[in-house]
Amino acid sequence: MNQPSLRQKLFRTTSIPAGEDESVSLIPADSLHRTLGVFSLTMLGVGGTIGTGIFFTLAEAVPKAGPAVILSFLMAAFTAGLTALCYAELASRIPASGSSYSYVYASVGEFFAYIAAACLLLEFELAASATAIGWSAYLNNFIENAFGWHIPLALRSPMIVLGTNGTEFHWGQLNLPPVILIFLCGVLLLRGVRESIGVNTVMVLIKIAILIFFAVIALSGFNADNFSPFFNTDNSKGFAGMTGVTAAAATVFFSFIGLDGVATGGAEAKNPRRDVPLAVIAALLIVTVCYMLVAVTALGAQAAGKFEGQDAGLAVILQNVTGKVWPAVVLSAGAVISVFSVTLASLYGQTRILYAVSRDGLIGKVFGEVSKKTKVPAKSTIIVCAFAALISATVDSGYLWDMVSMGTLVAFGIVSAAVPVIRRKPIDADSHLRGKGFRVPFGPHLIPGLSILSCLYIIKDLSVTTYTVFGIWMVIA
C-alpha cells in the first residue's frame, strides 16, 4: 500500500457534509447539542465584539490616529465586512464547530488549517485576558465612585508592565479582578451552552443600552473643535497622518473577533447553513453602528490629547461632561456587567476550536472530551480558563491588543483565500447542496481578494515586537 507523500499529508482535506438534513456537521451530531438560533448566534457575535474596541482601546488607538480614529474603525469595519461575506459562504457550506480552522481544513488543507487554528488560539486566549484586564479598571472605577473605596493598587496591577523604557517587572503586584472574572465565566461555561448563551444575551442587551446612554449624555458636551486637526500631527512615534490611522486600525481590529465567535458555534446551531451566515452579517452591522456612534460622541466630548493612559475612559468622559458622579457609576456598572459577555464569548470560542482540532487528531484527545451530563468540553474549558487567568493576572494589556489583532487578521486572510477553493470542490458525489446557501457576490475572487489585501494593509503597520512574538508563537505551535 502506497504511503501518502509529505505534500499529500500537508494539503489533505476533510470531507464536506452533504445531504438534505441541514443540521449535519463535520463533528458527530451526538457530541454537542444544537440549541442556537439566529438571534442567539447574533448575540454571541455582538457579545464577543462590543466591549473591547469601545470600552478599552480608545485609550490605545486615539493617541495614534487622533480624531481620525473614526477612519480607523471604518477601515477595520470595511475589512471585517469583506471577511464576513467570506465567513457567510463558508458557514453555509461547512456547518462545523471550529470556525476558520474547520473551513480551511475542508478547503485548503491540513497545513493551513493548523496555521489558522494557531492564530485563533492566540486570538481568543489573549482577547479573553485583555478584556478581563480592561474590566478590572471599570470595576475599580465603579467601586470608587459608588462606595468611596478602591481596590489596592498591588492587587489590580500586573507583574509584567510595558513601561516607557521597555519591559518592567514588579514582583509584588498581581491583577486579581481579571482572575475572578475568568473563574466566573468558566463556571458558567461548564454549566452548558444553553445557560451560557442565555446569560450572554441579557448582557449584550445591557451593553447596547449602556452605550446608547453614553452617547446621549456625551452628545450634550459635543464640541466640533475637538475634531481639528483631524489627523495626528505628532510624528515623534511615527504615527502622523494616515500611518497613525492604519496603526490604530490594527489596534482596534481585534474588536471584530466576534465574527469568529459566531462561526465557532456552527456545530451547536439549529440550522447552521442558514443561521450562521445571517448571524455573522447581522452582528457586523450592529457592532459597526454602535462603534461609530460611541467613537464620534466620545471624541466630540473630549479632546484627543486626553485619551492616552486613561483608565475607564468612557466613565471619566461622562463625569467630566456632567460634573456629576452618577453617570460614571451607571456606565461603570454597565461595563462591569456587560464586558463579562466579551470574556465569555472569547473563552467559549477557544474551547470549541480546541474541540474541533482535537477531534481531527491534531492535538491531545483531552480537548475533545465532552461531559456526558452538560455536553460541553469540560476539561478543555478548565485548561483554557487557567491559562487566561494566569496571563491576565501577570501581563500588562499593552502587550496583548496588537497580538490579538495579528492573529485575527491572519486568520481572516486565510479564510478569505478558502472561498475560491471551496467553490471548486464538489460537496459529494451527488452534489445535493451545490448552489444552496449564501454565496459571496461578484464571483469567488473579487471580494475574497479585497479582503486579503485589506488585512495585509492593516497588518503592515503593526510593531516589530508584535511580528517577533507572533513568529515565536507560530514556531512553538
Side-chain angles (χ1 to χ4, degrees):
M1 183 176 180
N2 293 331
Q3 293 294 323
S5 66
L6 177 61
R7 183 182 183 280
Q8 289 174 324
K9 290 180 179 179
L10 291 176
F11 295 99
R12 61 187 173 192
T13 61
T14 57
S15 60
I16 302 174
E20 297 304 319
D21 179 6
E22 296 200 339
S23 68
V24 295
S25 170
L26 291 174
I27 308 301
D30 58 352
S31 297
L32 295 174
H33 280 176
R34 294 190 176 278
T35 59
L36 307 182
V38 175
F39 181 75
S40 294
L41 289 167
T42 301
M43 291 299 99
L44 180 64
V46 175
T49 307
I50 295 179
T52 48
I54 287 299
F55 279 114
F56 309 138
T57 58
L58 284 178
E60 296 283 338
V62 174
K64 295 178 181 179
V69 74
I70 294 170
L71 298 181
S72 301
F73 276 108
L74 285 175
M75 185 182 296
F78 174 75
T79 303
L82 294 174
T83 312
L85 295 174
C86 298
Y87 264 102
E89 172 162 340
L90 293 171
S92 71
R93 296 281 299 263
I94 310 167
S97 181
S99 183
S100 308
Y101 162 77
S102 295
Y103 302 158
V104 175
Y105 202 173
S107 55
V108 183
E110 186 173 299
F111 175 69
F112 286 103
Y114 198 83
I115 292 176
C119 290
L120 292 171
L121 294 178
L122 178 73
E123 170 188 333
F124 281 111
E125 184 77 358
L126 297 188
S129 300
T131 51
I133 293 170
W135 177 85
S136 176
Y138 277 97
L139 176 65
N140 186 65
N141 182 277
F142 170 73
I143 293 174
E144 189 168 3
N145 285 326
F147 306 109
W149 183 78
H150 63 269
I151 302 170
L153 187 62
L155 294 179
R156 56 181 171 89
S157 301
M159 183 187 303
I160 305 171
V161 178
L162 183 61
T164 54
N165 297 320
T167 301
E168 301 173 0
F169 292 89
H170 301 272
W171 300 108
Q173 297 181 173
L174 187 69
N175 201 353
L176 185 59
V179 177
I180 297 172
L181 173 63
I182 290 170
F183 172 78
L184 294 174
C185 288
V187 170
L188 187 59
L189 288 170
L190 289 171
R191 289 180 59 84
V193 67
R194 184 189 297 273
E195 290 80 1
S196 302
I197 296 301
V199 172
N200 175 77
T201 299
V202 172
M203 290 182 177
V204 169
L205 296 176
I206 292 173
K207 186 185 307 184
I208 293 175
I210 286 294
L211 292 179
I212 294 173
F213 168 78
F214 168 83
V216 170
I217 295 181
L219 196 60
S220 66
F222 192 89
N223 183 358
D225 293 339
N226 289 342
F227 291 88
S228 181
F230 187 63
F231 291 95
N232 186 5
T233 57
D234 180 7
N235 200 35
S236 60
K237 297 181 180 179
F239 291 138
M242 279 301 297
T243 300
V245 172
T246 309
T251 298
V252 304
F253 191 83
F254 84 96
S255 306
F256 293 91
I257 192 175
L259 296 177
D260 271 3
V262 175
T264 57
E268 290 159 290
K270 296 176 182 177
N271 187 349
R273 287 195 170 90
R274 178 183 68 88
D275 295 350
V276 174
L278 289 175
V280 167
I281 296 171
L284 175 67
L285 292 175
I286 294 170
V287 165
T288 302
V289 170
C290 288
Y291 278 4
M292 295 307 300
L293 178 65
V294 175
V296 169
T297 53
L299 286 161
Q302 177 175 274
K306 295 182 178 180
F307 280 87
E308 188 168 6
Q310 196 173 56
D311 289 332
L314 298 189
V316 174
I317 290 173
L318 290 190
Q319 190 168 346
N320 292 338
V321 166
T322 62
K324 299 176 182 178
V325 173
W326 73 263
V329 172
V330 171
L331 190 134
S332 293
V336 167
I337 295 171
S338 59
V339 171
F340 186 103
S341 66
V342 182
T343 309
L344 183 72
S346 296
L347 294 171
Y348 169 86
Q350 183 168 6
T351 58
R352 270 47 181 184
I353 291 163
L354 287 169
Y355 172 85
V357 180
S358 175
R359 283 304 179 95
D360 288 329
L362 300 182
I363 59 174
K365 293 182 179 180
V366 65
F367 295 102
E369 294 179 8
V370 174
S371 167
K372 294 180 180 180
K373 181 178 180 181
T374 61
K375 293 296 182 180
V376 298
K379 293 180 181 178
S380 176
T381 299
I382 293 171
I383 294 171
V384 165
C385 289
F387 273 99
L390 178 63
I391 294 170
S392 63
T394 58
V395 180
D396 187 350
S397 63
Y399 287 105
L400 305 180
W401 304 121
D402 286 354
M403 286 304 306
V404 177
S405 290
M406 185 70 153
T408 307
L409 285 161
V410 173
F412 279 12
I414 296 174
V415 165
S416 300
V419 171
V421 178
I422 205 73
R423 285 280 186 99
R424 295 197 298 268
K425 288 193 66 173
I427 294 177
D428 68 354
D430 298 323
S431 299
H432 290 120
L433 295 173
R434 185 184 299 278
K436 288 190 176 183
F438 178 85
R439 287 201 169 199
V440 172
F442 310 116
H445 298 100
L446 178 61
I447 287 179
L450 289 174
S451 176
I452 294 170
L453 291 175
S454 298
C455 290
L456 292 174
Y457 181 74
I458 294 176
I459 283 176
K460 72 179 177 62
D461 285 319
L462 287 170
S463 67
V464 174
T465 301
T466 302
Y467 276 97
T468 302
V469 175
F470 181 76
I472 293 172
W473 164 250
M474 294 305 296
V475 170
I476 294 173

